[in-house]
Amino acid sequence: RKEVEQDPGPFNVPEGATVAFNCTYSNSASQSFFWYRQDCRKEPKLLMSVYSSGNEDGRFTAQLNRASQYISLLIRDSKLSDSATYLCVVIPYNTDKLIFGTGTRLQVFP
Amino acid sequence: DVKVTQSSRYLVKRTGEKVFLECVQDMDHENMFWYRQDPGLGLRLIYFSYDVKMKEKGDIPEGYSVSREKKERFSLILESASTNQTSMYLCASSPRDRGPGTEAFFGQGTRLTVV
């Protein structure tokens, strides 16, 4: 079983739609969680950290469920510019390693 | 403006060649990483370094070695390049902070083709 798993998609949604991605992780002792965004032919960049109580940044909401070992990303009012691959990242306990999921591709159409 | 710089955007090498991929960061980060990214497989960790001269194997270290003689520089070495090492290679750095404030910064990537 992979350490971090994501549905690869693609998710094709119209502008203005709400879309949600989930990511599951296998190591229950994982300590930190993130969502990164990667545009086509570009390097990944941090979108947002995921806090235990959940957190919001504009149209983006991230949630963590430690009991079920998953994190989620909700995007409201999708824009064309949201089209990208969204990468789930986990830092396991007692290490600084960043473990990436395979990514979920989002395509927003007009 | 923070920066991670990889020495080449594109490389073409022959099977059996020894290949060096260089990465330099200017943020005084303790941690540096080498990943490869392949379609459908995502980013897979090859090696990780948490300090000068310190390294840990990632998920796919076979066929690779690394060197970190200075804090700002992390080199990936393909001892004898093979066609299955054709890939996008991404270098990253991060501070030694395992909390939610940690942010990793990536280089622009090196597209390596082994022929």
Side-chain angles (χ1 to χ4, degrees):
Chain A
R1 185 187 168 186
K2 286 184 181 173
E3 217 166 330
V4 181
E5 294 202 68
Q6 295 181 251
D7 179 346
F11 285 60
N12 296 305
V13 303
E15 272 186 292
T18 295
V19 62
F21 310 132
N22 280 342
C23 164
T24 58
Y25 59 95
S26 60
N27 186 342
S28 60
S30 296
Q31 57 183 327
S32 296
F33 309 88
F34 308 86
W35 285 102
Y36 277 67
R37 173 192 167 127
Q38 186 174 24
D39 293 308
C40 191
R41 297 194 185 89
K42 297 280 193 178
E43 72 274 20
K45 292 184 178 176
L46 179 67
L47 176 67
M48 59 196 299
S49 303
V50 186
Y51 295 89
S52 296
S53 53
N55 48 299
E56 195 173 297
D57 183 2
R59 297 181 294 109
F60 299 83
T61 301
Q63 300 264 337
L64 167 62
N65 185 320
R66 283 194 183 270
S68 301
Q69 294 179 214
Y70 77 83
I71 68 172
S72 63
L73 178 68
L74 182 79
I75 306 175
R76 289 182 299 279
D77 189 22
S78 298
K79 312 288 184 196
L80 295 175
S81 56
D82 293 335
S83 297
T85 296
Y86 291 83
L87 300 160
C88 171
V89 182
V90 172
I91 297 182
Y93 178 72
N94 210 28
T95 177
D96 291 353
K97 288 183 188 178
L98 285 88
I99 309 299
F100 282 77
T102 51
T104 298
R105 200 156 78 83
L106 171 66
Q107 184 67 48
V108 182
F109 58 88
Chain B
D1 195 20
V2 297
K3 237 180 191 171
V4 178
T5 305
Q6 294 182 228
S7 52
S8 306
R9 287 298 301 271
Y10 301 95
L11 271 181
V12 180
K13 296 291 181 181
R14 293 196 179 277
T15 301
E17 274 193 78
K18 191 168 185 175
V19 181
F20 293 85
L21 302 184
E22 307 284 348
C23 176
V24 177
Q25 52 101 357
D26 64 3
M27 294 162 282
D28 201 36
H29 285 166
E30 291 83 6
N31 300 325
M32 295 189 76
F33 308 82
W34 275 106
Y35 293 88
R36 63 177 282 179
Q37 186 171 29
D38 301 287
L41 298 176
L43 278 83
R44 292 179 292 166
L45 183 63
I46 304 171
Y47 267 98
F48 159 59
S49 171
Y50 52 92
D51 206 342
V52 175
K53 297 189 191 293
M54 307 305 289
K55 62 186 179 186
E56 277 186 28
K57 292 180 181 179
D59 298 320
I60 51 163
E62 296 78 20
Y64 303 95
S65 61
V66 290
S67 172
R68 190 152 180 219
E69 297 297 318
K70 292 186 177 181
K71 191 176 186 180
E72 67 270 18
R73 187 179 295 270
F74 192 34
S75 303
L76 179 69
I77 303 149
L78 286 66
E79 298 292 343
S80 176
S82 63
T83 54
N84 63 12
Q85 292 178 310
T86 292
S87 187
M88 171 66 81
Y89 289 87
L90 287 160
C91 174
S93 73
S94 74
R96 184 170 297 145
D97 172 3
R98 297 167 185 173
T102 305
E103 180 175 357
F105 294 88
F106 282 82
Q108 76 277 32
T110 297
R111 168 75 60 189
L112 173 67
T113 303
V114 182
V115 298

